[in-house]
Amino acid sequence: MSELSFPIPAERLIPHRPPMQLVTTLLDYVDSSGTAETIVPNDSILIADDGQLAPVALVEMVAQAVAAFCGYEDALAREDVHEGYLVGITKAECTGTVRAGDRLVIRVTRTAAVDGFAFADGEVFCGDELVASASIRVFVPAKAGEAGQ
Amino acid sequence: MNMSRMKKELEAAAAPMTFDEESGKHARDFRIDPGFCGFEGHFPGTPVLPAIAQMLMAELVAEEIAGGALRLVGATGAKFLQVIGPNETISVTGKPRQVDRGFALDAQVLCNEGVAAKFRLSFDTIV
């Protein structure tokens, strides 16, 4: 993979592709935290007839931001992008309304990584408004069986 | 009804609701064909039913129980235990929970004779 410099298109870091790719760019990565962004497309498969984004999409964005974060780490280690699965949501709250055209910033922090499982907390902002938060668990089969990180 | 494309396709893939008096659970069966929009790009060459699609299926069950549109405000205790592909027969069961405000549903997604997922969803009612 060519040298990585921020901002990085998410398709270089995650296996998801449109229309299920909900995160467009990884903006930064610091220790165990990262920031991603997206602009909600008008033709998103998760936009309702009234232009509002389905709240579940915000939870998926947190998961894909975590995936991008992990994908960046893989890239630094010169590994291929791995498929990961959202396997758990400890708690998620969807508190704001998001519409087509909105720019969203997703901030994630990995809280633990054990045997292919990554535990992370994420928040989704639309401007200054917190529109969603989630504590999730992602499983990367390719990393299962490795020593705890 | 005001729905996203994904939710419309899930509704189209669903059988009518059933109710089991003994367990108090409502259920709808779904059969998601390979052309489902949620499979596209998730992932290329390996279609996997997204977790959020399973949550939307439960949302459809919740709305039918509630008798109107709902807006998801929270999820807790979610576990996604199976990789589900196209053409599987999926049964989503839901049992309403008593809450002070809005509507809540304990849901299970059943597939391949086992529990594929379970979670509790909380909703606001949409007036």
Side-chain angles (χ1 to χ4, degrees), chain B residues 48-72:
Chain B
V48 173
L49 188 68
I52 60 167
Q54 298 173 52
M55 294 169 71
L56 281 176
M57 292 154 77
E59 187 170 296
L60 287 169
V61 171
E63 287 179 328
E64 189 156 344
I65 297 170
L70 298 172
R71 177 178 172 78
L72 181 73

Side-chain angles (χ1 to χ4, degrees), chain A residues 95-109:
Chain A
T95 52
T97 299
V98 174
R99 307 189 70 86
D102 284 344
R103 175 180 178 267
L104 303 177
V105 171
I106 308 107
R107 299 186 184 135
V108 295
T109 298

Side-chain angles (χ1 to χ4, degrees), chain A:
Chain A
M1 188 179 290
S2 60
E3 185 176 342
L4 295 172
S5 60
F6 295 106
I8 303 170
E11 58 264 25
R12 297 182 67 186
L13 306 173
I14 60 177
H16 309 70
R17 289 297 178 265
M20 270 303 298
Q21 180 188 337
L22 304 188
V23 170
T24 55
T25 312
L26 185 66
L27 298 178
D28 63 45
Y29 167 93
V30 179
D31 293 331
S32 297
S33 297
T35 306
E37 74 167 2
T38 195
I39 296 175
V40 181
N42 292 328
D43 61 349
S44 168
I45 57 174
L46 288 156
I47 285 286
D49 299 321
D50 64 358
Q52 289 193 26
L53 184 69
V56 290
L58 301 173
V59 180
E60 177 70 19
M61 286 177 187
V62 171
Q64 291 192 17
V66 172
F69 171 102
C70 293
Y72 179 72
E73 293 182 327
D74 289 341
L76 290 179
R78 301 192 182 282
E79 295 180 12
D80 292 333
V81 171
H82 296 118
E83 285 181 4
Y85 303 107
L86 175 61
V87 295
I89 303 169
T90 305
K91 183 177 181 180
E93 294 184 336
C94 304
T95 52
T97 299
V98 174
R99 307 189 70 86
D102 284 344
R103 175 180 178 267
L104 303 177
V105 171
I106 308 107
R107 299 186 184 135
V108 295
T109 298
R110 183 177 54 215
T111 54
V114 178
D115 200 21
F117 289 93
F119 299 78
D121 294 335
E123 294 180 316
V124 185
F125 290 87
C126 184
D128 293 329
E129 182 188 3
L130 177 67
V131 293
S133 61
S135 294
I136 66 169
R137 187 166 67 254
V138 175
F139 178 59
V140 181
K143 291 188 175 294
E146 293 179 4
Q149 298 174 29

Side-chain angles (χ1 to χ4, degrees), chain B residues 27-100:
Chain B
R28 291 189 82 178
D29 286 351
F30 296 77
R31 191 169 178 86
I32 314 298
D33 66 39
F36 171 57
C37 66
F39 284 135
E40 192 176 349
H42 190 278
F43 301 98
T46 310
V48 173
L49 188 68
I52 60 167
Q54 298 173 52
M55 294 169 71
L56 281 176
M57 292 154 77
E59 187 170 296
L60 287 169
V61 171
E63 287 179 328
E64 189 156 344
I65 297 170
L70 298 172
R71 177 178 172 78
L72 181 73
V73 294
T76 56
K79 296 181 180 179
F80 302 95
L81 306 167
Q82 275 188 39
V83 173
I84 301 175
N87 292 324
E88 302 276 15
T89 298
I90 302 163
S91 182
V92 178
T93 69
K95 189 170 184 179
R97 300 286 300 187
Q98 192 73 27
V99 289
D100 293 334

